[in-house]
Amino acid sequence: MQASVCDIIVIGAGIAGASVAAELAETSSVVLLERETQPGYHTTGRSAALYSCIYGPPVIRGLSRASGAFFENPNSEFVSSELLKPRGLYFVARSDQAEAVEATLDELGAGVQEIALSSARLRLPLLRNEYVDRVLFEEGSADIDVDALHQHYLKLFRHRGGSLSNSTEVVEINKISRGWEVVTTNGKYQAETIVNAAGAWGDEIARLASVAPVGLVPKRRTALLVSPPEGCEVDHWPMVVDIDEKFYMKPDAGKLLISPADETPSAPCDAQPEDLDVAICVDRIEKAFDLPIRRIDHKWAGLRSFVADKCPVAGFEPGVDGFFWLVGQGGYGIQSAPALARAASSLILGRALPQDIQDEGVTEKDLSREREGLAA
Ligand SMILES: Cc1cc2nc3c(=O)[nH]c(=O)nc-3n(C[C@H](O)[C@H](O)[C@H](O)COP(=O)(O)OP(=O)(O)OC[C@H]3O[C@@H](n4cnc5c(N)ncnc54)[C@H](O)[C@@H]3O)c2cc1C
C-alpha cells in the first residue's frame, strides 16, 4: 500500500495533539492520528476541568495566564458558548497544616486571601467547623468547557484542511531519507516531522522511533460523582482543595465531583478506579464536609503524565531530525493548552515563541528536552 505524504504527522488527538494540529494546519499539511474511535477517550475526557493560574509550577502558570485571553474571547466560529464559567477556589487546612498555609501564602502572595471560616461557610455550608481551621480564597479560578475547547480545535483543524484519522494506531515508526514513515493499523504515512502528542504513551512512541525516553510517569487519579444533600443548590459553590492536595471537591452539573487527589504511578493504560482509592476518597471527604456518601453516581480514573520537573516538554529531540515532543502536561494540560499549542507550533515551524508567552516568563529552554532536571 502506498504511503500518504504530508508535512507533519501528529500522533494522538487528545487536547495536546488536536490543539497543536489546528495551529499547524494554518500553514502546513497535517495528518492527526488517533488510536481510539473518539479523540478525548483518554486523559482529556477525564479531567476536573479547572482553569486556575495559581495551580502548577511557574511554567504552567505562565502558559495558563497566556491562555487566558483565548479562553475569555476565543473569537472562533466553532465556539458557541462561554469556554470559562467563574468558580472560585478555597484551600482548606486543619490546625496541623499551618505550615502549608504559610508556605502557600508566601508563594502566592496577593494571589490568595485568607478568609474567616464563618464567611467561607456562608458560601459553602458543608464545611465542617471541627475539621477546617483556616481557609484561603482565590477568586479567578473557573470551570472549563473541555469538550467545547477540544471540539473547537478539531473543527478548526478540519476547516484548515487537516485530516484526522480515528481508529488508527501507530505501530511502527521508521526513519527514511526525507523524514519519517509511520506505519499504522490503517495505512502508512510519511512526513518530515512527527509530533509526539500521545499523552501517557509518549515514551512508547519514542521507543517505536528509536528515540530515548523522556522519563514520563503516568499517575492515576480517581474521580467520583456524588449527589449533594437534599435541597442543596451547589452550582455557585467554589471548588475546595485540601492545602496539601489530599482531596478536592467541585460542583459539576448539579452534583459534586470528589477526588482523593491520588497520584499512583501506572503503566500507560485505560485507567480504571481502584476500590481502595474510592474508599480513601469517601473517608477524606466525609471528614472535611457534612456530606454523608451513601451512593456513588459515577466513577472514573485517568492518567496525569509527568516528567521529573512536572513541566511540559515541547521541543525537538536533540540530534534526531524532525522528532518533536509534546508531552508531560500532568494535571494542567487543559488550562495550558491554548498557549502551549501556539508555543509548540512556533517551535516546530522554526519560529520564536509568541511574544505574549515570553512576556509571561516562559522560555524555549523551559520547555526543551535538554533542560536541566529532566530525567532521560
Ligand atoms: C482526574 C483528572 C483531573 C484533571 N484535572 C485537570 C484540570 O482540572 N485542569 C487541567 O488543565 N488538566 C487536568 N487534568 C490533566 C489533563 O486532563 C491532561 O493534562 C490532558 O488531558 C493531557 O492531554 P493529552 O492530549 O496529552 O493526553 P490524552 O488526552 O491522553 O491524549 C493522548 C492520545 O494519544 C493517543 N495515542 C496514544 N498512543 C497512540 C498510538 N500508538 N497511536 C495513535 N494514538 C495514540 C491516545 O489514544 C490518546 O487519545 C486532569 C487529569 C485527570 C486524569
Side-chain angles (χ1 to χ4, degrees), residues 222-242:
T222 308
L224 321 178
L225 266 190
V226 297
S227 296
E230 196 73 20
C232 277
E233 271 294 324
V234 301
D235 278 349
H236 61 288
W237 287 1
M239 180 169 182
V240 182
V241 185
D242 168 57

Side-chain angles (χ1 to χ4, degrees), residues 267-284:
C269 66
D270 184 356
Q272 299 299 323
E274 301 269 327
D275 288 347
L276 181 61
D277 295 321
V278 171
I280 290 171
C281 181
V282 169
D283 179 60
R284 290 179 185 169

Side-chain angles (χ1 to χ4, degrees), residues 12 14-16 34-35 42-44 48-50 170 302 330-335:
I15 194 65
E34 169 55 50
R35 179 186 49 206
H42 288 287
T43 309
T44 296
L50 178 72
V170 172
Y332 334 100
I334 312 288
Q335 64 173 38

Side-chain angles (χ1 to χ4, degrees), residues 8-251:
I8 301 167
I9 297 166
V10 178
I11 302 171
I15 194 65
S19 54
V20 78
E23 294 292 343
L24 290 166
E26 190 174 13
T27 53
S28 308
S29 63
V30 184
V31 166
L32 176 57
L33 304 176
E34 169 55 50
R35 179 186 49 206
E36 306 295 344
T37 54
Q38 289 289 327
Y41 176 77
H42 288 287
T43 309
T44 296
R46 307 181 189 203
S47 89
L50 178 72
Y51 174 80
S52 172
C53 292
I54 59 165
Y55 190 42
V59 170
I60 283 290
R61 290 184 211 163
L63 289 168
S64 303
R65 285 193 302 272
S67 299
F70 173 82
F71 277 121
E72 292 297 344
N73 182 13
N75 202 9
S76 157
E77 62 184 290
F78 307 116
V79 178
S80 55
S81 55
E82 304 282 318
L83 288 177
L84 291 187
K85 185 176 155 207
R87 172 60 59 205
L89 189 152
Y90 286 172
F91 287 112
V92 295
R94 300 180 306 269
S95 53
D96 62 318
Q97 293 175 300
E99 229 173 86
V101 174
E102 296 309 326
T104 305
L105 284 168
D106 276 355
E107 194 188 341
L108 300 178
V112 286
Q113 70 182 102
E114 182 153 13
I115 58 171
L117 177 56
S118 52
S119 58
R121 276 175 50 86
L122 288 179
R123 220 171 137 190
L124 210 167
L126 296 194
L127 280 177
R128 271 187 190 277
N129 266 326
E130 64 277 23
Y131 179 91
V132 180
D133 183 53
R134 293 171 74 179
V135 181
L136 305 183
F137 176 51
E138 194 256 341
E139 205 168 7
S141 295
D143 292 352
I144 306 170
D145 186 336
V146 178
D147 186 52
L149 178 71
H150 198 194
Q151 288 304 321
H152 153 77
Y153 283 120
L154 291 169
K155 287 176 185 165
L156 180 63
F157 174 62
R158 285 197 204 94
H159 177 74
R160 288 178 168 171
S163 165
L164 165 66
S165 189
N166 290 321
S167 306
T168 301
E169 179 175 3
V170 172
V171 291
E172 202 181 305
I173 302 176
N174 302 309
K175 196 90 186 77
I176 55 173
S177 56
R178 286 195 57 223
W180 300 90
E181 180 170 77
V182 172
V183 182
T184 77
T185 49
N186 200 12
K188 292 181 183 176
Y189 299 83
Q190 291 180 356
E192 272 191 38
T193 303
I194 51 178
V195 179
N196 176 5
W201 288 266
D203 274 344
E204 306 265 312
I205 293 297
R207 190 178 49 78
L208 291 180
S210 303
V211 164
V214 78
L216 267 182
V217 182
K219 295 185 177 178
R220 189 180 65 241
R221 177 154 288 188
T222 308
L224 321 178
L225 266 190
V226 297
S227 296
E230 196 73 20
C232 277
E233 271 294 324
V234 301
D235 278 349
H236 61 288
W237 287 1
M239 180 169 182
V240 182
V241 185
D242 168 57
I243 194 87
D244 290 314
E245 209 182 333
K246 295 295 181 203
F247 63 80
Y248 59 77
M249 179 173 89
K250 181 172 181 277

